[in-house]
Amino acid sequence: MAHSGINVLFEGDNFIRLLGGLWITIKIAAGALVGGVILGTILGVLRTLNSKILRFILRLYLEFFRIIPTVVLLFLFYYIIPRQFNLNMPANELATLVFGLWVAAEMSDIVRGSLISVPKHQQESGKAIGLNRYQLYRYVLIPQAVSLEIPATINLATRVIKTTSLLMLISVMDVINVGQQVIEANNQSYPTGVFWVYGLIFILYFLIDYPLSWWSKRLEKQRLERNNG
Amino acid sequence: MSWTVIQQSLPMFAKGFELTLWLSFVGVVGSIIVGVVVSLIQYFKVPVLHQIGSIYVEISRNTPLLIQLFFLYYAFPVIGIKLGAELSGIIGLIFLGGSYMAEGFTGGFVGVPKNQIESGKAIGLSQWQLARFVVFPQGFSLSVPAMAANIIFLIKETSIFTVIAIPELTNTALDLIGMYYRSNEYLFVLVVAYAIILVPLSLGLTYLEKRVRYGSFGN
């Protein structure tokens, strides 16, 4: 293995360009998470209400996003939205939209699950002291559900960040696409560059995701300890 | 939407369908084997292997499959390890799936009630017998829901194999779109194909989850 292969990363502005790609990746993930969590929370609350039709529709929405692989979702939106709706969205915004809708679907299930796992007597006590439905959610259900939701939401965030690697497929200039350009441009001078560039991207993803998944594990552990002790 | 276009593409999709099923099957079986081994190592805290297992799980869970595949398929050849596309795909999927399965099984083992283990010890079972007759059977049935979710997750992940040009379902669809520009038709077939695999599987696994919920007496 050529010992100088690693230099490909520091040649010219390669490193800065890779970090720039990573920044685009992070922006899309963050946008999708913020939008998706807000929409998903609303949908999750709606799924605990008593309307069968609403529950059915929202369930279909969730199952659609669960069953279809994310790659396929990206392509569905990428090919169908511009043509069918005559809406020319830049790839970055399109990706944020697809990921946001996916996050909303998953989030709705997290929120629903944690709302229904708040002990029944809590809800009944709330009703007994005369809270209306809005107050019940606002003061009793949501605050208790949040501690259940947070670890699951952080986990979802790590999944979203990992899945942004698919952005390269719809020609977003994310970190992987930039990496491929760097590899191609330096193929002559650094034949082993591919190893270092993909290696760096591998490490970058790990550095972002590992602290998040460690955090969510710790929160989950704390919650269990609190509940058992 | 033109049905003739769809009809003409079906033989191609059938091939992709078969390949997706085959790769999924190998990947899922391999992942379960790796998962059982890693989780047993974690459970018994086997020295050295235990630490290696933890590092493996963290690396595999916190990096995307796509970059794992790129590494296997494009970066390994420059250090002299040449794997074909399909082999890279399978190794990547097992590398990823193994850690997810391991976490699922570990969760199941941890969930076995303490009194069960104490009772086992009280009747004089050895460490191995305890694992074989008490922890493993109960822990395994507790981890079925996690395993089911992982199986579906892994089958969906095979769609990423398209980036290393394995002609599975997604790759077939993208190839056809590239050649004939009939994106509506081919995407429709693609979605239906995944639904054919995943909807019955998801229903079947939900049924299985209900069937294996035994062995938690006293609770």
Side-chain angles (χ1 to χ4, degrees), chain B residues 146-198:
Chain B
M147 197 165 71
N150 288 338
I151 290 173
I152 290 178
F153 163 71
L154 289 176
I155 296 176
K156 283 165 63 180
E157 290 289 282
T158 60
S159 58
I160 296 173
F161 290 173
T162 186
V163 299
I164 52 170
I166 296 178
E168 40 69 68
L169 279 171
T170 308
N171 196 261
T172 307
L174 294 183
D175 253 12
L176 285 169
I177 292 172
M179 280 191 283
Y180 306 111
Y181 301 108
R182 306 299 296 240
S183 49
N184 289 357
E185 284 84 355
Y186 299 137
L187 287 172
F188 174 74
V189 181
L190 182 62
V191 169
V192 172
Y194 277 112
I196 290 174
I197 300 175
L198 294 166

Side-chain angles (χ1 to χ4, degrees), chain A residues 106-133:
Chain A
E106 294 283 351
M107 193 65 200
S108 80
D109 215 40
I110 295 174
V111 171
R112 186 195 69 101
S114 44
L115 280 174
I116 59 172
S117 61
V118 173
K120 262 254 143 35
H121 62 88
Q122 290 282 342
Q123 195 170 351
E124 281 156 12
S125 316
K127 277 183 190 154
I129 59 166
L131 298 183
N132 64 30
R133 183 181 270 163

Side-chain angles (χ1 to χ4, degrees), chain B residues 5 21 33 38 49 51 74 95 103-104 118 165 172 180 191 198:
Chain B
V5 172
L21 281 183
I33 295 170
V38 173
L49 288 181
Q51 279 82 359
Y74 295 115
F95 179 80
E103 294 266 281
E118 280 155 15
T172 307
Y180 306 111
V191 169
L198 294 166

Side-chain angles (χ1 to χ4, degrees), chain B residues 44-60:
Chain B
F44 287 116
K45 298 218 180 338
V46 180
V48 189
L49 288 181
H50 169 60
Q51 279 82 359
I52 295 175
S54 306
I55 294 170
Y56 156 62
V57 168
E58 295 303 345
I59 289 179
S60 138

